[in-house]
Amino acid sequence: MRDAVAAQEPLWAPGERHGYHGVTFGWLVGEVIRRASGTTVGGFLRREVTGPMELDYFIGTPRSEHRRIAPLLAPAPPPPGAKATSFLDTLDPGSLAARMYAPVLPPIAPPPNTPEFWSAEIPVTNGIGTARALAVIFGELARDGGTLLAAETVEAARAEQVAGPDAVVGVDVRRALGFELPAAWADDGRPPHAFGHSGAGGSIAFADTEARVGFAYVMNQIWGGGLERRDPRAPALVRATYASLGG
């Protein structure tokens, strides 16, 4: 994957457009970690972050933990009259989005609900853990970086870099350095200054440096409503969280 990404020619001039490339982004950052630390992404994460913090989160989950993994479940059938709802199922195979996701889907990667996928160290998509673990990590970032980053690094990381139509996923987005910023259409309870990321199926995790709180919601039942019938689960919890904080 490292060599394949390195050999890829840019699809447009830098600054001309922007597009979500979570999969290739993971391999690019992953190789920087390997070169700088001498260890794999999963090993670095465990050594520097989740191990010292005693968190249930892995990239490359040990076989001893496989019995605890909840398998991903396909979206429930849509209600009568609603459109087919799986985002991945409706992708044009030749689209940029399909090409971007391909490296973490069969036949290139093992099927998601298999020990081979759980154990692999793929620096995007197969991070496996609990909502509490993610919330603790983002909670550290929300408190001036906590034990993880310097405060000035957090400020730089959450500053908006691009906004507008995404050439890959086809919707308006706002992005910082590796983090997603809430888009106006999302209407999911996050304040505009929150930084983190939403995920396929309905998951979401973010930090709020003003409230000094980290939030995470993860699920194994994939929501398939798409933009027409958006997932109500995480937004309800986000709004309840802010209500409990007094606003």
Side-chain angles (χ1 to χ4, degrees):
M1 282 304 306
R2 174 200 65 195
D3 293 343
V5 172
Q8 177 67 47
E9 294 185 9
L11 298 182
W12 56 77
E16 184 180 276
R17 290 187 285 170
H18 61 89
Y20 177 69
H21 65 117
V23 172
T24 48
F25 179 82
W27 291 106
L28 291 167
V29 174
E31 187 61 18
V32 172
I33 292 172
R34 287 171 64 99
R35 299 287 182 96
S37 70
T39 189
T40 60
V41 173
F44 181 85
L45 178 72
R46 200 68 194 155
R47 186 183 76 193
E48 301 292 335
V49 181
T50 58
M53 298 175 74
E54 298 183 346
L55 299 178
D56 271 340
Y57 192 85
F58 303 91
I59 295 179
T61 306
R63 287 192 173 270
S64 61
E65 304 297 319
H66 284 188
R67 60 184 175 79
R68 302 174 59 206
I69 297 174
L72 289 173
L73 303 177
K83 294 181 179 180
T85 55
S86 174
F87 170 67
L88 291 176
D89 288 345
T90 58
L91 285 179
D92 177 352
S95 67
L96 285 178
R99 292 168 59 189
M100 186 273 295
Y101 281 113
V104 293
L105 297 172
I108 298 175
N113 289 326
T114 63
E116 291 76 20
F117 185 85
W118 298 336
S119 294
E121 290 191 37
I122 302 174
V124 68
T125 298
N126 83 330
I128 295 175
T130 65
R132 182 179 297 275
L134 281 174
V136 169
I137 291 171
F138 277 93
E140 290 290 300
L141 300 182
R143 293 185 292 276
D144 300 322
T147 61
L148 298 179
L149 295 175
E152 56 268 26
T153 302
V154 173
E155 286 302 305
R158 71 189 187 96
E160 184 178 288
Q161 301 294 314
V162 295
D166 184 293
V168 176
V169 297
V171 296
D172 282 356
V173 300
R174 297 171 58 228
R175 291 206 176 90
L177 293 176
F179 295 104
E180 175 187 83
L181 304 173
W185 58 264
D187 189 28
D188 56 16
R190 288 179 291 172
H193 57 267
F195 63 100
H197 222 286
S198 55
S203 57
I204 190 172
F206 64 86
D208 179 346
T209 54
E210 292 187 13
R212 298 176 72 81
V213 67
F215 176 95
Y217 167 75
V218 300
M219 73 317 122
N220 68 314
Q221 174 64 69
I222 296 172
W223 179 265
L227 293 179
E228 299 86 3
R229 193 170 59 90
R230 281 180 275 171
D231 189 346
R233 297 172 297 180
L237 292 171
V238 172
R239 293 189 175 94
T241 297
Y242 281 96
S244 73
L245 295 172

